Amino acid sequence: MSKFYIETFGCQMNAHDSEKVIGTMMASGYTQVETPEDADFVLYNTCSIRDKAEQKVYHRLDQFKKDGGKGKRFGVLGCVAQQEGEAIFDRAPHVNLVVGSASYSKLPELLVKLDAGEKRVTGLSLDTDDTFETPLTRRDNPHKAYITIIEGCDKNCTYCVVPFTRGRERSRTADSVMQEARQLVDLGYTEIMLLGQNVNSYRDPSPAGWDFATLLQRMGEIPGLRRVRFTTSHPRDFVKDIVDAITENPVLCNFVHLPVQSGSSAVLERMDRLYSRERYLECIGWMKLSPRDIAISTDIIVGFPGETEADFEETISLLDEVGYTSIFSFKYSPRPNTGALAYGDHIPEDEKRRRLLILQEHQRGIQIALNETCVGKTEEVLVEGFNRNTSQWIGKTSQHRTLNFVHSSDENLMGQYRTVRVTRSGPNSLAGETVSA
Ligand code: 5AD
Ligand code: SF4
């Protein structure tokens, strides 16, 4: 029997795609192994969002160029596969399979072609209405599960490769989403994360036609489900109904990741984000008014072409105005096919680095202050791990904060919900102890 190894790069969408690919491989007669050395078939599920992520996969493939790769097959999946296509065979001639995420449902037939002796097999069509739904998904975590509700992206942000790597937007029927969620609850899962490049533009393709807020409401009513999260949102399509759903139902976590990218309306315009700073702050305002105390996180790009010092200052002031509980921040990385390549005024690498450091230092101060306000409060956590070095359990609050805590007895708390009193805080996490029942 053939043994395969898979390594995944990139976002949660990719992590979940790999869970589906693993299930599909196993149904096709392959067994999964832990190291590439043990495998006959080495798969990389790749990310091309920034140049660094893309280079990683070539680095991995280069390691097997000579003898190490003898007798093995290699497959490149995901966003680099879609972006580079057959050019991957030129750059890494030992690769046998190149498949983009829009073609994973064809994986079984592609594997048959490989077994029949074809040396170079591709699945690169983006021309599909299909979502990759499969009953074979091999989920990594027994308590938290991802469910894809929408694939692809119809926006045209001028920095972004995703529309080229994941194709047009296509939503899954609400029926099939709800059915999968109920099955997961029956299997013991208590937290579900709804996934899509832009979940806010979800629209049930069946006659019921639910929008995203309706889907959220109905998910929140599934008996036995304790937590529902979702990612990622686009401010242009984010509506107040989503906040109202969260306000009304405690099963919907009080945490929203709403990528802003820049605090300057001029930069947002050049990014073609389709909203201004003011419209973004309107969405934030809805959340601030909710009695649920909704935690907000975001993504920021610094050093986008033409970003002036004044534009950058506007991003800094936005951090203060919103009070994010966490951010993901990046230096702008020019990507193939994207609109921003045509802009002339690129920012030097040193300056991007300088801005990134300032931004991250500023945010650190905000997080220290916000996390301090949690001290003395109690929080419900889902227990996700145990740190042997500190003898602390690791939990996640509904607001998606990490809360490390001590527990007096030696019972196994993995996957359980516990109430924890917060006693200390730092820039990136909280610490506490369980509250005795
Ligand atoms: N350069 C830097 N960051 C990028 N992102 C997307 N494209 C680029 C790029 N070309 C960031 C955005 C997005 C996150 C997933 O990655 O902030 O929200
Ligand atoms: Fe990377 Fe975007 Fe592809 Fe996710 S969708 S793997 S972030 S390029």
Side-chain angles (χ1 to χ4, degrees):
M1 190 183 285
S2 266
K3 292 183 265 180
F4 78 99
Y5 165 83
I6 187 166
E7 182 175 356
T8 308
F9 303 89
C11 60
Q12 282 126 324
M13 271 53 85
N14 255 20
H16 187 39
D17 279 345
S18 284
E19 293 181 334
K20 300 183 201 179
V21 166
I22 291 167
T24 308
M25 294 291 292
M26 292 170 85
S28 300
Y30 288 82
T31 21
Q32 191 180 6
V33 292
E34 296 293 317
T35 66
E37 289 73 29
D38 290 339
D40 325 302
F41 198 177
V42 177
L43 295 172
Y44 295 114
N45 189 3
T46 61
C47 171
S48 60
I49 198 97
R50 284 168 291 275
D51 188 55
K52 220 159 125 193
E54 180 176 340
Q55 294 316 321
K56 248 187 214 164
V57 63
Y58 288 116
H59 183 71
R60 286 285 195 285
L61 286 168
D62 282 349
Q63 290 171 344
F64 292 99
K65 235 177 189 162
K66 297 202 185 103
D67 289 355
K70 251 203 183 124
K72 292 188 199 301
R73 283 177 183 158
F74 291 87
V76 178
L77 313 179
C79 294
V80 176
Q82 191 65 51
Q83 181 187 294
E84 298 298 307
E86 302 198 353
I88 291 177
F89 296 131
D90 300 333
R91 182 123 177 226
H94 51 309
V95 169
N96 312 94
L97 179 72
V98 174
V99 187
S101 69
S103 303
Y104 290 156
S105 50
K106 300 207 179 66
L107 206 52
E109 15 177 320
L110 301 177
L111 293 171
V112 169
K113 282 192 191 172
L114 274 182
D115 285 339
E118 280 190 42
K119 292 278 173 284
R120 292 182 165 181
V121 174
T122 57
L124 292 168
S125 171
L126 275 181
D127 185 18
T128 179
D129 294 335
D130 261 8
T131 53
F132 181 39
E133 279 169 48
T134 165
L136 305 168
T137 310
R138 293 293 288 212
R139 289 189 160 83
D140 258 359
N141 181 311
H143 312 291
K144 305 199 312 185
Y146 294 128
I147 298 186
T148 312
I149 62 165
I150 178 168
E151 292 186 22
C153 180
D154 283 354
K155 297 280 188 293
N156 276 309
C157 304
T158 55
Y159 52 80
C160 190
V161 285
V162 172
F164 307 98
T165 62
R166 290 188 164 260
R168 306 288 295 173
E169 248 174 42
R170 47 219 188 266
S171 291
R172 191 174 157 182
T173 65
D175 238 14
S176 109
V177 173
M178 293 296 289
Q179 202 184 333
E180 186 170 12
R182 286 193 201 98
Q183 275 166 358
L184 289 169
V185 172
D186 288 344
L187 289 169
Y189 290 88
T190 59
E191 178 174 315
I192 286 177
M193 166 84 96
L194 303 176
L195 286 183
Q197 293 301 333
N198 177 5
V199 289
N200 306 143
S201 64
Y202 173 81
R203 176 62 77 164
D204 177 8
S206 70
W210 294 359
D211 62 7
F212 180 59
T214 310
L215 180 70
L216 267 187
Q217 273 165 3
R218 301 293 160 88
M219 291 283 304
E221 290 161 6
I222 295 175
L225 190 53
R226 300 276 296 258
R227 284 182 173 180
V228 176
R229 301 184 184 279
F230 56 91
T231 202
T232 187
S233 288
H234 192 297
R236 162 77 175 220
D237 303 316
F238 189 84
V239 293
K240 186 166 173 295
D241 287 356
I242 297 171
V243 180
D244 291 344
I246 295 173
T247 301
E248 283 156 25
N249 191 334
V251 169
L252 307 178
C253 288
N254 49 347
F255 172 77
V256 172
H257 182 65
L258 194 61
V260 66
Q261 314 301 355
S262 169
S264 153
S265 291
V267 173
L268 291 172
E269 170 102 37
R270 283 202 301 280
M271 288 177 165
D272 210 358
R273 287 290 284 176
L274 309 172
Y275 58 85
S276 61
R277 177 187 176 107
E278 290 66 37
R279 151 73 201 175
Y280 182 83
L281 284 171
E282 191 187 353
C283 302
I284 300 295
W286 300 327
M287 292 192 261
K288 298 260 178 195
L289 282 176
S290 165
R292 284 287 309 281
D293 190 12
I294 299 174
I296 306 162
S297 73
T298 201
D299 294 343
I300 306 260
I301 297 175
V302 298
F304 187 74
E307 183 188 69
T308 63
E309 190 63 31
D311 291 324
F312 176 62
E313 287 299 327
E314 286 200 65
T315 300
I316 296 283
S317 77
L318 187 82
L319 298 188
D320 291 327
E321 203 163 336
V322 176
Y324 294 108
T325 52
S326 64
I327 66 168
F328 296 95
S329 50
F330 313 100
K331 288 178 292 180
Y332 167 71
S333 167
R335 306 310 296 131
N337 308 315
T338 55
L341 291 181
Y343 295 142
D345 36 6
H346 281 256
I347 309 287
E349 198 55 32
D350 279 357
E351 180 59 17
K352 287 191 217 172
R353 195 171 308 121
R354 187 186 74 85
R355 291 183 191 176
L356 187 67
L357 285 175
I358 293 173
L359 183 92
Q360 290 176 341
E361 197 48 39
H362 194 84
Q363 174 61 21
R364 191 181 142 87
I366 292 173
Q367 282 176 211
I368 288 174
L370 281 177
N371 287 347
E372 260 169 21
T373 66
C374 299
V375 175
K377 294 186 180 157
T378 55
E379 292 277 358
E380 185 184 62
V381 295
L382 168 59
V383 185
E384 301 191 350
F386 183 72
N387 183 336
R388 278 177 207 290
N389 296 327
T390 60
S391 294
Q392 283 178 319
W393 291 97
I394 305 164
K396 271 270 174 344
T397 69
S398 174
Q399 290 187 322
H400 211 245
R401 283 190 171 97
T402 300
L403 172 44
N404 302 305
F405 64 97
V406 286
H407 180 61
S408 46
S409 89
D410 55 5
E411 66 187 309
N412 183 0
L413 299 185
M414 278 298 277
Q416 297 192 26
Y417 288 82
R418 278 290 185 279
T419 305
V420 178
R421 184 180 320 285
V422 180
T423 53
R424 280 175 296 127
S425 68
N428 298 311
S429 63
L430 308 173
E433 57 205 21
T434 41
V435 175
S436 43

